């Protein structure tokens, strides 16, 4: 099974049927969405319950871990304890999980989260906190995939029941990882396509990072390349979930539709398409 979606649902102009694309509108095109707002602040359970209510029964969410859960920030900036942070996050996840709409919780680690004993211990800690919930791990430091560490990294993710996140991103030294077409969970493999804009990728701390970081449009040859990669991964896991994150220039939706066509995938259980009364 192959599932394709985008990061967020409101910024994809090519899907617009009205002035602003709603989650219900988005769910008429794709069966899964990645939520990144949870990286910046943990939404309320009321908000996530509303998301679940707006989407069809087969719709799924990939929800990012809060930034202090991935070592981007310190939990003490936001909560009285680390346990309090995890409790708030689990309360937020509950309405999605209880309706069967949780595809995965995505832990996207920063480039400085390298392969050390301390960080391996933290991965084990995450497993203890998350229990049976589906957790996908995305590294941004290539030490996890060095010649001596790749198999150990994959074995660790497999041992902890974590979902491996295969990424396509600009190769800019230690702060990026290569394409590693491997699975660690027989149920699912996650693929995140960030584009290949090296200049934009290096502007992460710039005020204009949202405009340039993922400014990239995959061409025909690259889509064909990823068609073969996804077909390979499909042999390794029951489901391959592909998320296009090249949003800066509005290219994600078109590229996702392109890959869907190349893979000859039809999505079932989508929301009904909202029609514009004034369109021809």
């Amino acid at each position: 099974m192959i599932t394709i979606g985008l990061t967020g649902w409101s910024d994809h102009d090519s899907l617009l049927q009205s002035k602003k694309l709603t989650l219900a509108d988005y769910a008429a095109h794709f069966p899964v969405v990645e939520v990144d707002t949870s990286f910046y602040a943990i939404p309320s359970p009321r908000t996530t319950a509303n998301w679940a209510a707006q989407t069809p029964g087969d719709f799924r969410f990939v929800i990012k871990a809060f930034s202090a859960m991935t070592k981007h920030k310190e939990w003490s900036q936001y909560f009285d304890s680390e346990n309090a942070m995890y409790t708030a996050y689990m309360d937020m996840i509950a309405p999605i999980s209880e309706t069967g709409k949780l595809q995965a919780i995505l832990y996207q680690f920063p480039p400085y989260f390298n392969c050390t004993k301390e960080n391996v211990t933290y991965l084990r800690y995450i497993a203890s906190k998350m229990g049976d919930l589906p957790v996908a791990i995305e590294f941004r430091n290539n030490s996890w995939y060095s010649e001596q560490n790749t198999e150990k990294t994959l074995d660790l993710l497999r041992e902890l029941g974590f979902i491996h996140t295969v990424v396509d991103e600009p190769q800019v030294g230690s702060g990026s990882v290569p394409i590693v077409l491997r699975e660690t969970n027989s149920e699912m493999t996650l693929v995140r396509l960030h584009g290949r804009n090296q200049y934009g990728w290096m502007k992460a701390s710039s005020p204009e990072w949202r405009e340039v970081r993922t400014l990239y449009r995959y061409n025909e040859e690259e889509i064909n390349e990823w068609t073969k990669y996804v077909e390979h991964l499909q042999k390794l896991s029951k489901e391959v979930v592909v998320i296009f994150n090249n949003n800066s220039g509005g290219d994600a939706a078109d590229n996702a539709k392109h890959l869907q066509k190349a893979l000859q995938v039809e999505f079932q259980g989508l929301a009904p398409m909202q029609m514009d009364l004034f369109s021809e």
Side-chain angles (χ1 to χ4, degrees):
M1 180 178 178
I2 298 171
T3 309
I4 303 172
L6 315 175
T7 299
W9 58 78
S10 61
D11 297 327
H12 308 290
D13 291 349
S14 64
L15 302 180
L16 284 175
Q17 295 286 330
S18 58
K19 291 183 179 179
K20 183 178 180 180
L21 192 73
T22 67
L23 177 56
D25 293 330
Y26 172 94
H29 293 272
F30 298 104
V32 63
V33 70
E34 178 185 301
V35 178
D36 65 353
T37 54
S38 54
F39 177 81
Y40 303 100
I42 298 177
S44 70
R46 183 176 179 178
T47 295
T48 55
N50 188 39
W51 293 344
Q54 291 181 58
T55 50
D58 293 334
F59 193 84
R60 299 292 181 267
F61 294 87
V62 175
I63 302 185
K64 271 193 174 182
F66 179 53
S67 54
M69 294 164 61
T70 55
K71 303 293 187 178
H72 285 82
K73 296 181 179 179
E74 297 293 331
W75 58 259
S76 57
Q77 296 177 254
Y78 306 94
F79 294 93
D80 292 335
S81 68
E82 195 168 21
N83 280 337
M85 174 181 69
Y86 269 94
T87 297
Y89 191 87
M90 298 295 265
D91 288 346
M92 178 270 292
I93 284 288
I96 301 291
S97 180
E98 290 169 0
T99 53
K101 294 186 175 184
L102 179 61
Q103 186 80 64
I105 297 167
L106 171 63
Y107 274 75
Q108 177 196 297
F109 288 103
Y112 47 84
F113 187 85
N114 56 350
C115 186
T116 64
K117 185 176 181 179
E118 177 185 3
N119 288 338
V120 167
T121 298
Y122 186 66
L123 290 173
R124 294 186 182 279
Y125 174 74
I126 291 170
S128 71
K129 299 297 287 185
M130 288 291 140
D132 294 333
L133 291 172
V135 173
I137 301 294
E138 177 178 349
F139 296 115
R140 288 280 174 89
N141 186 290
N142 65 14
S143 63
W144 296 95
Y145 298 109
S146 68
E147 185 175 351
Q148 62 268 35
N149 287 338
T150 297
E151 293 304 323
K152 294 178 182 179
T153 294
L154 296 172
D155 286 344
L156 176 65
L157 298 183
R158 201 170 285 119
E159 173 196 339
L160 299 177
F162 288 156
I163 297 160
H164 183 226
T165 304
V166 179
V167 297
D168 187 31
E169 62 191 24
Q171 298 302 293
V172 291
S174 63
S176 58
V177 299
I179 297 170
V180 179
L181 298 173
R182 301 284 296 278
E183 101 296 342
T184 58
N185 186 301
S186 61
E187 293 298 317
M188 176 186 160
T189 296
L190 180 62
V191 176
R192 297 184 77 229
L193 304 179
H194 303 293
R196 300 176 180 180
N197 181 352
Q198 291 190 11
Y199 170 78
W201 199 252
M202 296 294 287
K203 302 280 283 186
S205 59
S206 168
E208 61 174 347
W209 74 272
R210 287 186 180 275
E211 288 73 34
V212 300
R213 184 160 170 76
T214 58
L215 181 60
Y216 192 82
R217 189 177 186 90
Y218 286 92
N219 61 33
E220 183 82 24
E221 181 180 352
E222 291 163 341
I223 291 294
N224 290 338
E225 175 186 39
W226 270 103
T227 299
K228 295 175 183 177
Y229 290 166
V230 172
E231 288 173 340
H232 169 74
L233 291 170
Q234 190 183 17
K235 299 174 184 177
L236 306 178
S237 293
K238 291 181 182 178
E239 183 174 9
V240 180
V241 178
V242 182
I243 299 292
F244 279 86
N245 187 43
N246 54 325
N247 288 341
S248 292
D251 297 307
D254 289 347
N255 277 161
K257 296 275 189 178
H258 192 174
L259 181 65
Q260 179 186 355
K261 183 177 180 181
L263 287 164
Q264 299 181 357
V265 174
E266 292 188 12
F267 302 132
Q268 305 299 319
L270 296 177
M273 189 76 70
Q274 300 296 316
M275 300 303 295
D276 185 340
L277 295 177
F278 297 98
S279 64
E280 294 182 1

